[in-house]
Amino acid sequence: MFFLTSRHRVTILPILICFESFTVLWLIESCLKRKFLGPLALSLFLVVYVVLFPFRGLDPNLYRFLVHAKTGPVLDQQGRFREAQAQYRQALSIYPRDVNTLYNLGTSYLNSGDDRQALDVLSQALSLCPFNADVLFNLGISFTNLGKPDLAAESFQKVLEYQPGSLDAHFRLAELYEKQGDCPRAKQHLQVILQDGEGVDAGFTL
């Protein structure tokens, strides 16, 4: 289903206005010159088009979903996590399998310090989209915060399978391995970051 966003309106509506103006002027000129074949053909085309493709307004459920799903991130940015989470849950009551909304809800829980809820929601998102690197990364953070370093490392490793250039995943793995005393593996990930020209936290030494 297609509907115009504000960005689309700025670019498309002037073109539509010009086209409609040209069409009206052409119809007037054709009628004045008694050339009715063109207007008749256009009218027939419009009738057939309307019959084959009747106008349908935006589905009310989709509209309500979009309102809730788009309001959540705004509230998150303001630090109003509980209100944002309520908006995401409202959206999911309409489309419970929407991965982006599940991800946003899980991230909101993560940012508000509710790691267990974040883990539950992000796991749902991952079951629907197992190759989503963003979901995997935030799952890794949840596991880290819950004191499950092995599962966290597994999540970050999967992130690197789908996004080999993710410096954030390399850094998180370096942190985990350093805390576990596995300096060679920590060094391996830090070297990737250094080779990319990024700074490394002063707490790490190669």
Side-chain angles (χ1 to χ4, degrees):
M1 180 178 294
F2 175 78
F3 57 97
L4 293 179
T5 64
S6 58
R7 181 165 58 101
H8 289 132
R9 284 194 289 271
V10 171
T11 55
I12 293 177
L13 287 186
I15 297 174
L16 291 177
I17 292 171
C18 291
F19 176 75
E20 289 173 0
S21 301
F22 173 80
T23 303
V24 169
L25 291 173
W26 175 73
L27 286 172
I28 293 172
E29 182 183 6
S30 297
C31 291
L32 290 175
K33 293 182 177 180
R34 298 181 179 275
K35 296 179 179 180
F36 300 114
L37 184 59
L40 184 62
L42 178 61
S43 302
L44 182 61
F45 169 78
L46 291 174
V47 170
V48 172
Y49 183 87
V50 170
V51 170
L52 294 178
F53 305 102
F55 173 77
R56 294 178 182 176
L58 188 63
D59 178 23
N61 283 335
L62 177 59
Y63 175 77
R64 288 193 300 114
F65 168 81
L66 290 172
V67 169
H68 293 303
K70 299 300 182 183
T71 302
V74 176
L75 295 171
D76 268 331
Q77 290 178 354
Q78 298 172 356
R80 298 159 63 183
F81 298 118
R82 289 188 180 276
E83 295 174 65
Q85 291 155 16
Q87 292 293 324
Y88 294 133
R89 287 193 294 269
Q90 286 284 345
L92 289 168
S93 70
I94 302 170
Y95 294 121
R97 295 174 61 86
D98 185 77
V99 174
N100 286 333
T101 305
L102 285 168
Y103 168 77
N104 287 338
L105 176 58
T107 303
S108 182
Y109 281 131
L110 191 63
N111 291 334
S112 65
D114 195 342
D115 296 300
R116 194 161 297 281
Q117 281 276 38
L119 183 63
D120 290 341
V121 174
L122 291 169
S123 296
Q124 292 179 47
L126 190 65
S127 68
L128 295 170
C129 188
F131 311 112
N132 191 310
D134 292 328
V135 173
L136 283 164
F137 184 83
N138 282 0
L139 265 177
I141 297 176
S142 298
F143 283 129
T144 301
N145 294 345
L146 291 169
K148 300 179 179 181
D150 292 338
L151 292 175
E154 182 181 336
S155 293
F156 293 132
Q157 289 286 7
K158 286 183 178 178
V159 171
L160 292 177
E161 287 181 23
Y162 307 129
Q163 290 185 358
S166 173
L167 298 181
D168 289 330
H170 280 294
F171 187 80
R172 289 283 181 171
L173 284 167
E175 278 189 317
L176 287 171
Y177 292 138
E178 191 267 344
K179 289 177 181 177
Q180 292 175 342
D182 192 343
C183 293
R185 296 178 77 178
K187 181 178 179 179
Q188 177 184 358
H189 290 285
L190 288 173
Q191 284 176 330
V192 173
I193 299 172
L194 287 173
Q195 288 170 2
D196 199 80
E198 297 289 331
V200 181
D201 189 277
F204 291 103
T205 55
L206 293 178

